[in-house]
Amino acid sequence: MKQTQTDPNIPIIYEDEYLLLINKPAGLLSQEDQTGDPDVLKLCRRYLSRSQKNDPFLGLIHRLDRPVGGLMLLAKNRKAADNLSKQLRDRTIQKTYWAVTAGSPPRNGVLTHQLYKNRDTNIVKVVTDNQQKGKRAELSFAKLEESDDLHLLSVHLQTGRPHQIRVQLAHEGYPIWGDYKYGNNQPDGRRMALRAVELVFKHPETDQHVHFELAPPSAHPWTKFSIAHQ
């Protein structure tokens, strides 16, 4: 598989003159923050600059939390970025995540909450409707498999709020394995078992539907589930 040849190295799932689709490593920032640590946007621009004379354009279509790995889409020109951003706003881009959780989630469910983000602490919490400062968040999930006390869920977002999957599942009593911030005792949140595994959208130039899937890593706790490694 082609890679960016950066540090850290980023696997490239698909690339043409309009798109760059990567497998974001868990633990890597999507874009620069106050830590100054490496981020997807900077590393991918460095990769593109090797084959372009001018500073390459690269648009971040969506983000993944730092501890989350998986499919992440970037646009290589402004027209493609505008097209894909509109698809995202119109909710026609389909994103599927897999999550390994504790608790006892039902076979399937739809969760709707009001979420409020404290920008000073970077913590998101569920608030009541009458507090009038939360933003509506909705997701649906289906349980794919159980193994011991863990559950593999397929999660679809209807909204795109910060930390949404992590907060909503934890609030219902199904915290994600390894999520130190929202209800699990794992000391290192970068190993969190939440992964972007599927992406469906219209190509910004051809208008054809494109579909990408990505298997989870061959590591605990994913290896506890047979469906994850068929």
Side-chain angles (χ1 to χ4, degrees):
M1 179 180 291
K2 192 176 181 181
Q3 297 181 316
T4 57
Q5 303 302 316
T6 53
D7 184 19
N9 222 348
I10 303 174
I12 297 171
I13 304 300
Y14 175 81
E15 182 181 6
D16 61 20
E17 58 184 303
Y18 308 97
L19 306 175
L20 182 65
L21 181 67
I22 64 166
N23 177 3
K24 184 183 97 64
L28 180 64
L29 290 168
S30 290
Q31 63 183 134
E32 185 178 11
D33 70 0
Q34 69 278 3
T35 66
D37 291 344
D39 64 90
V40 164
L41 206 53
K42 188 180 297 180
L43 294 176
C44 288
R45 278 185 179 141
R46 187 177 303 164
Y47 158 73
L48 293 176
S49 67
R50 299 193 192 111
S51 59
Q52 299 183 24
K53 293 182 179 179
N54 301 321
D55 288 340
F57 175 90
L58 196 60
L60 199 66
I61 304 305
H62 62 108
R63 299 169 180 81
L64 296 177
D65 290 353
R66 182 170 188 163
V68 180
L71 292 172
M72 186 170 169
L73 181 62
L74 302 103
K76 292 173 64 175
N77 61 54
R78 194 168 299 280
K79 181 181 177 182
D82 290 345
N83 180 291
L84 292 166
S85 295
K86 184 178 187 303
Q87 290 186 53
L88 196 66
R89 290 193 302 272
D90 294 343
R91 301 181 186 176
T92 57
I93 294 181
Q94 300 174 42
K95 295 185 288 183
T96 303
Y97 297 79
W98 278 8
V100 178
T101 77
S104 300
R107 274 289 165 199
N108 51 66
V110 176
L111 304 180
T112 304
H113 299 99
Q114 297 290 321
L115 300 186
Y116 170 74
K117 180 178 180 179
N118 185 319
R119 298 191 180 280
D120 294 330
T121 62
N122 196 33
I123 297 289
V124 178
K125 64 179 181 179
V126 174
V127 295
T128 58
D129 291 341
N130 58 15
Q131 289 178 281
Q132 296 184 341
K133 60 181 179 180
K135 293 184 177 180
R136 183 178 177 277
E138 182 179 342
L139 62 78
S140 60
F141 69 86
K143 188 191 299 187
L144 302 178
E145 194 175 343
E146 299 178 19
S147 180
D148 297 328
D149 295 327
L150 294 177
H151 310 267
L152 178 62
L153 305 185
S154 175
V155 182
H156 294 265
L157 291 176
Q158 277 70 55
T159 56
R161 306 302 182 196
H163 303 184
Q164 179 180 338
I165 298 174
R166 302 163 62 184
V167 175
Q168 290 194 268
L169 291 180
H171 182 78
E172 294 297 315
Y174 327 131
I176 295 174
W177 185 96
D179 190 353
Y180 70 99
K181 184 176 281 191
Y182 294 110
N184 196 295
N185 293 324
Q186 293 288 336
D188 183 1
R190 298 186 186 189
R191 297 181 61 218
M192 184 171 60
L194 175 61
R195 190 163 176 82
V197 298
E198 186 177 21
L199 200 57
V200 182
F201 58 94
K202 282 189 176 182
H203 192 284
E205 181 63 21
T206 67
D207 210 34
Q208 296 296 309
H209 276 96
V210 285
H211 180 191
F212 295 95
E213 293 186 45
L214 187 66
S218 297
H220 184 78
W222 303 104
T223 49
K224 292 177 68 68
F225 302 97
S226 61
I227 193 172
H229 296 279
Q230 289 181 346

